[in-house]
Amino acid sequence: MGGLLSKEPPKPEPLLPIPWREVEFRHEAYMKLQDEIKNYQPHPKASTTNILILGNVGSGKSSFLNSMFSELRREDFNGRIQSFQGVRPPAQTSVTQRLKCHKFNDKIKIFDTAGFELEKTVNATIILKKIIDGEVAEGSKFDDILETKIKMEGDQIHCVVLVLSLHNAENLDPALIQFYEGLIGMLTKTGVPCKLLVTFVDKLVEKTEDLKDLYKRRDIKQKIEKLAKEMRISMCNVIVVSNYFEELKINQIKGTLLLEAVAQMLTAAKPFQERM
Ligand SMILES: Nc1nc2c(ncn2[C@@H]2O[C@H](COP(=O)(O)OP(=O)(O)OP(=O)(O)O)[C@@H](O)[C@H]2O)c(=O)[nH]1
Ligand SMILES: [Mg+2]
């Protein structure tokens, strides 16, 4: 009997013999990352390190924020995942409507933003420039920022994180790619460090445990390289994570990737603070 049902599933691609990035998933390495971030100090020229999270609607911005804070504050919540910022299944318009700031340790400030809507990208560039330059106060409604003539008291951003889902990376709207590319270009000119945070990598593995081999997966590497090329961002500025989305408790594998992402952002912010 032939037919569709007897068709064998496609064989998984062989793994690369050597991972293209070294990540240590053991407990000691995870704890080292936790300690590194706990003891982190911004450059003396800055009182806090301010990180801005950007990206299209539903790319996982708020989920990343929830995931990283669940990791950093694991002792407060016994490792249970918390929702500091509203999350919901992807929709046309963004669920996040105001510039929301979350603080860790009095040293790190993370700002969550509304997702880009393609028809509004011209305004988005102007709004984002104002936010990055510290001209927008926390809690401001994105819809009001354009109309506000007076400069408000905000925080200068020290690192911008552009969030992109790897899940539908192949079907990205060319207008969105162009917008991202322009944004990265603007940041390069102004000298603000920019990281591309690739989310949803779990969609390309069978189980969380398989994330350990993330950097041995040739297909994932190719997808990420293609994205980086399109955005005109160097591979060393690309970070890969899988956010918590269905779990109740944190786990070491996702946690290691998430904490490494945070450490990368904090490290990138310092030379910029030094030059301020
Ligand atoms: N599988 C998987 N799902 C994710 C991941 N990140 C986010 N999600 C899910 O994707 C949906 C959208 O996530 P959000 O974090 O709300 O996305 P957002 O970028 O903040 O969206 P807006 O605020 O609406 O612009 C939610 O249902 C999340 O649970 C991920 O890494 N993997
Ligand atoms: Mg959001």
Side-chain angles (χ1 to χ4, degrees), residues 259-271:
L259 292 173
E260 180 58 37
V262 178
Q264 289 287 337
M265 295 164 197
L266 296 177
T267 309
K270 263 200 178 166

Side-chain angles (χ1 to χ4, degrees), residues 2-131:
L4 278 175
L5 287 177
S6 64
K7 219 174 175 183
E8 281 197 15
K11 282 206 173 69
E13 270 194 74
L15 297 175
L16 294 167
I18 301 168
W20 57 281
R21 250 179 208 176
E22 284 291 347
V23 182
E24 184 58 78
F25 285 98
R26 279 178 309 145
H27 183 68
E28 302 84 83
Y30 170 81
M31 288 312 295
K32 217 172 146 195
L33 276 168
Q34 283 281 8
D35 287 344
E36 180 187 339
I37 300 169
K38 206 187 217 172
N39 300 324
Y40 169 83
Q41 295 287 338
H43 189 274
K45 285 187 182 171
S47 54
T48 53
T49 291
N50 309 322
I51 295 172
L52 181 69
I53 314 275
L54 306 178
N56 54 321
V57 175
S59 53
K61 300 179 290 297
S62 302
S63 300
F64 172 69
L65 194 145
N66 290 339
S67 301
M68 72 165 266
F69 276 96
S70 297
E71 282 294 340
L72 297 180
R73 300 189 55 191
R74 73 193 196 294
E75 282 166 354
D76 297 339
F77 302 110
N78 284 328
R80 291 194 172 83
I81 288 150
Q82 301 295 307
S83 200
F84 303 92
Q85 184 72 339
V87 162
R88 60 141 199 227
Q92 282 303 96
T93 50
S94 187
V95 64
T96 309
Q97 292 299 335
R98 285 174 190 271
L99 184 66
K100 192 81 210 294
C101 170
H102 298 265
K103 224 170 172 185
F104 175 69
N105 248 1
D106 280 338
K107 299 284 172 231
I108 305 168
K109 279 184 175 180
I110 311 282
F111 293 86
D112 191 16
T113 60
F116 304 134
E117 292 158 46
L118 270 178
E119 61 279 11
K120 297 185 192 161
T121 50
V122 177
N123 289 347
T125 311
I126 302 169
I127 293 172
L128 292 176
K129 180 86 176 66
K130 281 180 173 233
I131 298 175

Side-chain angles (χ1 to χ4, degrees), residues 21 51-56 58-68 110-112 159-169 172 180 184 193-201 214-215 224 227-228 231 233-244 254-266:
R21 250 179 208 176
I51 295 172
L52 181 69
I53 314 275
L54 306 178
N56 54 321
S59 53
K61 300 179 290 297
S62 302
S63 300
F64 172 69
L65 194 145
N66 290 339
S67 301
M68 72 165 266
I110 311 282
F111 293 86
D112 191 16
C159 180
V160 172
V161 177
L162 215 53
V163 182
L164 206 62
S165 157
L166 195 58
H167 184 44
N168 46 17
L172 278 183
Y180 276 15
I184 292 168
C194 178
K195 297 280 175 190
L196 182 68
L197 185 83
V198 175
T199 52
F200 281 80
V201 73
L214 161 69
Y215 291 114
I224 294 173
L227 265 186
M231 306 285 158
I233 193 164
S234 62
M235 281 294 275
C236 64
N237 286 322
V238 181
I239 338 172
V240 192
V241 295
S242 165
N243 292 324
Y244 295 119
K254 284 195 172 192
T256 301
L257 294 172
L258 288 160
L259 292 173
E260 180 58 37
V262 178
Q264 289 287 337
M265 295 164 197
L266 296 177

